[in-house]
Amino acid sequence: METVTLKYFDRYFYALHIEFKYRKGFLMKKSPVASLREGLDSGDLSAEFLAVHSIEKINKMDGRINAISVEMRELAIKTARAADGRLRSNSDKSPFLGIPVVIKDNMACSGQYFQNGSKITKKFISPFTATVINRLLSAGAVPVARAAMDEFAMGSSGEFHAFGPTRNPWDTTKVAGGSSSGSAAAVAAGYVPFALGSDTGGSVRLPGAFCGISAFRPTYGVLSRYGITAMASSLDQVGPMARHVEDIALGISVMAGIDPNDSTSLELQGASDLVQLVPLDLKGLKIGYFAGDNLKAIQPAVKACVSNALETLEANGAEIVDIDLPCASYALETYCLLNTAEVSSNLSRFDGIRYGNRVPTDNLADMIAKTRNTNLGLEAKRRILLGTFCLSKGHFDAYYLKALRARNAITLSVMEIFNSLDFILTPVSPITAFTLGEKVTDPLEMYTMDILTVLPALADIPALAVPAGLANGLPVGIQFIGPRLSDCSLLRLGYTFQQLTTIPISTTIESL
Ligand code: GLN
């Protein structure tokens, strides 16, 4: 009995200690991964305790947030113990050694559930591990849970998760943003300092902005897509999410690079230098500001945060020029056509034959129809139908081919803009996190949440979302966009911006 009590107190004080380390880190502007690493390196913390602490936090808070789809306790403890062994050897300096992480539920992890936020793959167990996860594991990360997401990564709010919406840790009546809703909320709620999401048209940047954290969509190809469920393959990219840009850069440093299993993967020059981020000299930097209010009205309070960000950059030497992006006015339509076309083709593999749940009948066509009809959600069905329509004979040229041409034109016009600018800045979203249920029955209104995030995706260029203050108590994000393969300087720019500003911390989260 006595030992149990002691253990309980040990655990309690240890948890306080971890929270204290975190908090002290915030005050000193130290990134959460760096603060925890310090504790792990000094022997103050152990990887196992961090993993248990994360899982306990999830158990305590996630009933209200629903950021987690499946816990991976066994894997977490096993990996954490191995990390503790590596830590004791002292010579291992892997950047993520002992750091708990959460991964989006569309990334394969051998032997673990692989639900994709869908009923159709609810019980599917992954037979292999995605390259990005293998690389994170080699760097010592401890995956503790799989994150909730909109079904097959289609959505902007987290409400199309087949097992209930994710709630925003800043205000649980609001959405967390999607589709990487769980990854963003898990970081914002402090379950873990780092999470992986995926971004096809904004799915790490939008939830990142809504939850007050940073999120990065790299140049297409920088992170391998092997083992990530394909939604719209020509647009899908993995995206790291963390409160601080430094931790995102750490993630890129260990995950980037060519993967023989993904023929679209690229080498990112300078990725290994991201371990030690160097600030970018803002003097003489030319940043184009695209306000985006010609596309959709931007909330005044969001605008005010963006203006403050612009002033900070300007006061530190950057030259800000207002720009227009005429191609942005047809980016969303182009994205919707290409996205639905690719979705209709990619999702055809979920047919009850090879993957997941099946509704058994004695006729094959009937089985496929019933399986898909019963197990796929409304948004997935909508996109499959739309995509099949625009790929069908007679409509292919008018829709799909035209959208491909539009994408090309967008890419060329964005490339030209970067001849006279270093970076572009825009709000991530016209509004802050909205109320649960508000847009779920209005698909067009939901799609407009991506109006400012689809452009970099279509042009294959990197975009980094960082917190830029609060509007009516809710986080606002701005987005830095750079030319193709400017990922390293973009991260340095985001890092510099965070050095000059304060990242808001929610007091609501503390009381959850
Ligand atoms: N919200 C966008 C969509 O629903 C983007 C999704 C994503 O990036 N995965 O298509």
Side-chain angles (χ1 to χ4, degrees), residues 104 106 149-157 160 177-180 198-207 217 231-232 235-237 332 335-336 339-340 343 379 383 446-447 449-450 453-454 457:
K104 188 171 177 178
N106 61 350
M149 56 184 275
D150 284 300
E151 184 170 20
F152 290 111
M154 290 177 244
S156 308
S157 66
F160 294 129
S179 67
S180 308
S198 66
D199 188 306
T200 304
S203 273
V204 296
R205 290 163 285 152
L206 187 64
R217 174 191 171 91
M231 191 256 251
L235 296 154
D236 297 340
Q237 259 301 276
L332 192 61
Y335 171 82
C336 287
N339 178 287
T340 51
V343 162
E379 183 60 21
R383 293 199 196 192
M446 189 71 100
Y447 299 157
M449 293 298 98
D450 306 318
T453 53
V454 289

Side-chain angles (χ1 to χ4, degrees), residues 44-307:
D44 246 9
L45 300 175
S46 78
E48 187 174 348
F49 226 105
L50 277 186
V52 172
H53 180 63
S54 278
I55 293 169
E56 282 180 353
K57 245 183 148 168
I58 292 170
N59 289 338
K60 181 170 160 245
M61 295 164 72
D62 209 49
R64 273 154 294 172
I65 296 178
N66 200 27
I68 300 303
S69 56
V70 188
E71 260 182 25
M72 299 193 286
R73 180 182 271 269
E74 223 172 280
L75 176 70
I77 303 292
K78 195 175 117 207
T79 321
R81 285 187 183 153
D84 281 329
R86 281 167 72 177
L87 278 164
R88 276 193 296 273
S89 82
N90 268 337
S91 55
D92 199 330
K93 293 275 170 271
S94 302
F96 280 90
L97 196 50
I99 302 294
V101 301
V102 153
I103 50 188
K104 188 171 177 178
D105 211 347
N106 61 350
M107 304 185 177
C109 192
S110 182
Q112 304 295 320
Y113 280 112
F114 192 5
Q115 294 184 329
N116 298 290
S118 178
K119 280 199 279 184
I120 205 160
T121 38
K122 183 174 180 209
K123 299 209 177 95
F124 185 69
I125 307 271
S126 176
F128 69 101
T129 301
T131 302
V132 283
I133 296 182
N134 265 331
R135 291 183 180 169
L136 258 193
L137 286 169
S138 310
V142 178
V144 294
R146 301 182 64 77
M149 56 184 275
D150 284 300
E151 184 170 20
F152 290 111
M154 290 177 244
S156 308
S157 66
E159 292 166 291
F160 294 129
H161 180 230
F163 314 106
T166 305
R167 292 168 181 272
N168 193 315
W170 286 75
D171 175 348
T172 51
T173 66
K174 306 284 180 201
V175 301
S179 67
S180 308
S181 53
S183 308
V187 172
Y191 300 169
V192 285
F194 181 90
L196 282 187
S198 66
D199 188 306
T200 304
S203 273
V204 296
R205 290 163 285 152
L206 187 64
F210 279 6
C211 291
I213 63 163
S214 308
F216 182 46
R217 174 191 171 91
T219 298
Y220 183 81
V222 163
L223 297 181
S224 161
R225 286 177 298 115
Y226 179 68
I228 315 302
T229 309
M231 191 256 251
S233 317
S234 77
L235 296 154
D236 297 340
Q237 259 301 276
V238 172
M241 308 171 86
R243 200 181 292 270
H244 289 230
V245 173
E246 284 148 284
D247 293 345
I248 287 181
L250 266 190
I252 296 289
S253 79
V254 302
M255 292 186 294
I258 295 210
D259 173 15
N261 287 321
D262 176 358
S263 62
T264 60
S265 61
L266 301 167
E267 203 59 65
L268 177 65
Q269 297 294 328
S272 53
D273 301 335
L274 293 173
V275 178
Q276 258 315 323
L277 263 193
V278 185
L280 199 63
D281 189 359
L282 297 181
K283 282 190 195 70
L285 217 58
K286 205 164 167 187
I287 302 179
Y289 168 50
F290 177 60
D293 41 10
N294 58 327
L295 304 178
K296 183 159 173 80
I298 311 284
Q299 266 174 3
V302 169
K303 256 190 185 167
C305 286
V306 182
S307 299

